[in-house]
Amino acid sequence: MSENNKKKASDLFVQALEAEGVDHIFAVPGEENLDMVESLRKSTIKLVLTRHEQGAGFMAATYGRLTGKTGVCMATLGPGATNLSTPAAYAHLGGMPLLMITGQKPIKKSKQGQFQIIDVVGLFAPICKMSKQIVHGDTIPSLVREAFRLSEEERPGAVLLELPEDIAAEDCTESVMTPHKRYYASPSDVPLEEAVALIKAAKMPLILIGAGANRQNVRAAMCDFVHSTRIPFFVTQMGKGVVDERSSLFLGTAALSAGDYLHCAIERADLIINIGHDVIEKPPFFMEEGGKKVIHVNYKSAQVDQVYFPQLEIIGDLAASVSALKDKLGGEVKFDRSYFEMIKLAIDVHIEEGADDARFPIIPQRFVADIRKVMGDKDIIALDNGIYKLWFARNYKAYQPNTVLLDNALATMGAGLPSGMMAAMLNPKQRVMAICGDGGFMMNSQELETAIRLGLNLVVTVLNDNSYGMIRWKQASAGFADWGLEFNNPDFVKYAESYGATGHRVTCAEDIIPTYEKAFLAGGVHLVELPVDYSENQKVLIDELAKKVCLI
């Protein structure tokens, strides 16, 4: 190979990323990444600096979640790499395609002894589909291609490539590989016919829609299946919006694992058609030996454990599986829906309670209802992790896929703001709102500067109760004293203004909708502080549910 055909390894890496269609890399670079930074400077890829590696990782993972294409982030060795461990786990459990590129000291000679060196590849192996160090520049094209294949292939997840700085600077002769589209097989007739027999024999079948159906453009097939068969459906938290939840067949969201009004229907069902759900997301029902039957419909076979052991599996492309099953069923499935209709009525009445409550600080039912009124059919809310996530899962109806971005797999705090930022970048014509508790917001609040620098239109809601509210609720439900979980907050309006954002503080329930409309109309980055009263957590989610008696 002539000298003219040689290229620097970091240039080859960036060219391989360009071949995969990468348009952004989210990063906090270090000195071990400087060859990559220089190669990016000469590329078509935009480098987006964030203020913490978690911000970069959460943004990249959310890019993967919303597009189905691998999001890419970059950090240096040691502490830079370890700060990506939470986003890696977030993508790994949440089924989001993510590539992390980390730097490392030279591997051919010792530059600074063992300074900052840890086994990053070994550290990330348990939470990645692939974790490898690049030891020669000519392996970059095949490793990048394999990384993207694995990250995007069902079930999607995180991959890591470590690029030592001496490898990044060496000369290479290989060329990039051309990616190709991944296709999934269609299911055979045998399991489909068995499924048809089970469904037609069932007296009270239900459909469960999980996170897997929120990927790979499954919406059209799912809507056809639900409305052709007329089988009522419920969703997991990460399955919200696959089918419009204004449907008369929608029973609700399994926000709690057991004991909610929806579980009256789940317990009465004799067959669950489980589409796109797996046990990584907290299970919304518990199977028992000799109990209800379950049909597992997914890209991959079921991960069996004590609470999940389906009797029949339909494996293959999800849209193709659902469409084929619909065709074989041949239209509406006949059974007595009266009990499910009673449950739906009870749930709808329950969710409306408190929606116009004027109390201040504001109760969850009111702020969820008002935010639903402010947001359009295709507008997006990105939730951090806290007790309000349960209120939104139960009370906020989603009309389109991936318009309610929440994490019920790792369930990490600190992801709400970066996720909302990514949604705003990808959907500049939609209203986007990040919804955070005061605890979760302060974990990555510095990314407000990144949002302003990127020129985003984003409203950030901070629900202020001066405590870790979710844990206080758990503390109360376990019968412990209310102790040890309260803190003080900054003046959130001044805090937002110090970054150049516009701050708002709602002082009465009637001001919620006007404040949001004003913020969205103005454009730019806005922070809205909502003082909240979480006493309803105890009343509604503990006391009322403990007294609930399922309809007979």
Side-chain angles (χ1 to χ4, degrees):
M1 184 69 66
S2 69
E3 289 293 322
N4 292 333
N5 290 326
K6 289 185 177 181
K7 63 188 72 173
K8 192 168 76 168
S10 61
D11 290 339
L12 180 61
F13 202 131
V14 169
Q15 289 169 16
L17 295 176
E18 289 175 323
E20 298 286 347
V22 174
D23 46 22
H24 290 83
I25 289 183
F26 306 91
V28 179
E31 64 177 282
E32 289 76 21
N33 306 117
L34 289 178
D35 284 290
M36 281 290 290
V37 171
E38 175 61 16
S39 296
L40 287 168
R41 183 183 68 84
K42 300 178 290 184
S43 78
T44 60
I45 300 172
K46 182 177 180 180
L47 178 66
V48 178
L49 287 179
T50 60
R51 303 308 300 266
H52 192 283
E53 291 86 355
Q54 276 198 9
F58 289 138
M59 289 187 76
T62 304
Y63 177 95
R65 178 179 190 170
L66 292 174
T67 67
K69 300 188 295 183
T70 303
V72 183
C73 60
M74 183 172 68
T76 190
L77 80 171
T82 58
N83 281 343
L84 288 179
S85 60
T86 302
Y90 175 75
H92 174 67
L93 292 183
M96 307 173 200
L98 171 70
L99 168 61
M100 298 167 289
I101 303 167
T102 56
Q104 189 53 273
K105 297 294 183 186
I107 57 174
K108 295 181 180 178
K109 62 180 180 180
S110 176
K111 181 181 179 182
Q112 295 175 328
Q114 295 299 306
F115 176 64
Q116 289 192 304
I117 295 177
I118 59 171
D119 182 3
V120 171
V121 171
L123 176 69
F124 278 79
I127 52 174
C128 286
K129 297 178 76 176
M130 178 176 107
S131 181
K132 290 193 175 183
Q133 182 185 74
I134 299 172
V135 297
H136 195 289
D138 280 334
T139 65
I140 287 173
S142 60
L143 286 172
V144 170
R145 179 81 281 276
E146 178 68 355
F148 275 78
R149 182 189 72 81
L150 282 173
S151 70
E152 294 174 8
E153 185 176 78
E154 289 288 341
R155 192 175 185 274
V159 294
L160 179 137
L161 291 176
E162 181 182 78
L163 182 63
E165 61 177 307
D166 55 344
I167 305 300
E170 71 182 13
D171 289 332
C172 307
T173 58
E174 289 294 314
S175 300
V176 300
M177 292 183 172
T178 303
H180 61 275
K181 189 173 181 179
R182 171 71 164 89
Y183 294 94
Y184 296 90
S186 296
S188 68
D189 285 338
V190 174
L192 290 170
E193 289 166 0
E194 290 185 20
V196 168
L198 282 174
I199 293 169
K200 289 188 173 180
K203 294 181 179 179
M204 298 190 73
L206 278 181
I207 296 168
L208 165 60
I209 302 175
N214 242 332
R215 304 191 290 267
Q216 309 282 353
N217 298 318
V218 179
R219 177 182 173 85
M222 277 302 317
C223 290
D224 286 347
F225 181 75
V226 168
H227 295 115
S228 171
T229 63
R230 305 297 298 170
I231 300 174
F233 70 98
F234 68 103
V235 299
T236 69
Q237 292 186 42
M238 296 178 75
K240 289 183 69 66
V242 177
V243 178
D244 192 326
E245 293 173 7
R246 290 170 291 194
S247 168
S248 62
L249 296 167
F250 175 64
L251 295 184
T253 304
L256 304 177
S257 293
D260 207 343
Y261 294 87
L262 173 62
H263 292 88
C264 296
I266 296 171
E267 290 163 10
R268 186 67 65 91
D270 59 348
L271 175 69
I272 302 285
I273 307 164
N274 183 2
I275 302 173
H277 173 61
D278 58 42
V279 295
I280 289 177
E281 186 177 4
K282 196 173 184 180
F285 65 91
F286 294 88
M287 296 182 66
E288 297 176 349
E289 188 66 36
K292 64 177 62 60
K293 289 184 169 59
V294 172
I295 300 173
H296 174 91
V297 187
N298 218 320
Y299 297 97
K300 297 181 70 175
S301 58
Q303 180 182 336
V304 174
D305 68 8
Q306 291 176 319
V307 298
Y308 191 61
F309 40 92
Q311 289 85 358
L312 177 63
E313 300 185 46
I314 299 175
I315 307 303
D317 180 87
L318 209 52
S321 298
V322 169
S323 294
L325 187 56
K326 180 205 74 170
D327 292 343
K328 285 188 177 293
L329 283 166
E332 183 176 341
V333 176
K334 303 293 185 180
F335 67 97
D336 183 358
R337 294 170 171 80
S338 58
Y339 182 78
F340 292 151
E341 290 167 355
M342 285 193 297
I343 293 297
K344 176 176 176 54
L345 179 60
I347 292 171
D348 288 346
V349 169
H350 167 70
I351 285 176
E352 287 298 317
E353 293 172 359
D356 57 357
D357 194 298
R359 272 180 282 174
F360 187 86
I362 301 154
I363 66 169
Q365 298 96 314
R366 177 62 185 264
F367 66 68
V368 172
D370 281 6
I371 288 173
R372 178 64 278 183
K373 292 172 185 174
V374 167
M375 306 301 279
D377 287 16
K378 295 184 179 180
D379 294 339
I380 298 170
I381 60 171
L383 296 164
D384 206 274
N385 200 63
I387 188 62
Y388 52 88
K389 186 181 75 171
L390 297 182
W391 287 102
F392 275 94
R394 294 170 91 245
N395 291 30
Y396 186 100
K397 289 185 178 179
Y399 307 149
Q400 294 283 331
N402 282 320
T403 54
V404 177
L405 303 181
L406 55 74
D407 168 26
N408 194 38
L410 183 66
T412 179
M413 298 171 72
L417 175 57
S419 295
M421 290 163 56
M422 190 70 255
M425 280 185 66
L426 290 171
N427 299 276
K429 294 183 179 180
Q430 309 306 136
R431 289 184 171 187
V432 179
M433 184 187 301
I435 302 171
C436 309
D438 45 2
F441 172 72
M442 290 304 293
M443 289 186 177
N444 278 311
S445 63
Q446 70 280 352
E447 298 303 344
L448 282 175
E449 187 278 325
T450 308
I452 293 165
R453 178 164 29 93
L454 292 173
L456 300 181
N457 293 317
L458 176 68
V459 172
V460 182
T461 294
V462 178
L463 302 169
N464 187 358
D465 70 331
N466 294 104
S467 71
Y468 291 119
M470 170 71 89
I471 310 307
R472 287 182 79 188
W473 174 62
K474 294 285 188 180
Q475 191 177 51
S477 65
F480 293 118
D482 183 11
W483 182 83
L485 296 169
E486 295 177 271
F487 47 70
N488 296 318
N489 280 313
D491 182 323
F492 283 116
V493 172
K494 292 180 179 178
Y495 186 75
E497 291 171 347
S498 73
Y499 285 103
T502 303
H504 311 263
R505 181 177 293 110
V506 171
T507 57
C508 65
E510 289 73 19
D511 284 348
I512 298 174
I513 290 176
T515 300
Y516 282 128
E517 292 293 351
K518 178 181 177 182
F520 279 119
L521 184 64
V525 178
H526 292 254
L527 183 150
V528 177
E529 178 189 350
L530 291 183
V532 298
D533 173 8
Y534 279 136
S535 62
E536 292 287 291
N537 297 344
Q538 177 72 32
K539 174 179 174 287
V540 176
L541 300 180
I542 298 176
D543 298 340
E544 286 185 6
L545 292 185
K547 298 174 183 176
K548 171 186 61 64
V549 177
C550 288
L551 299 169
I552 303 300

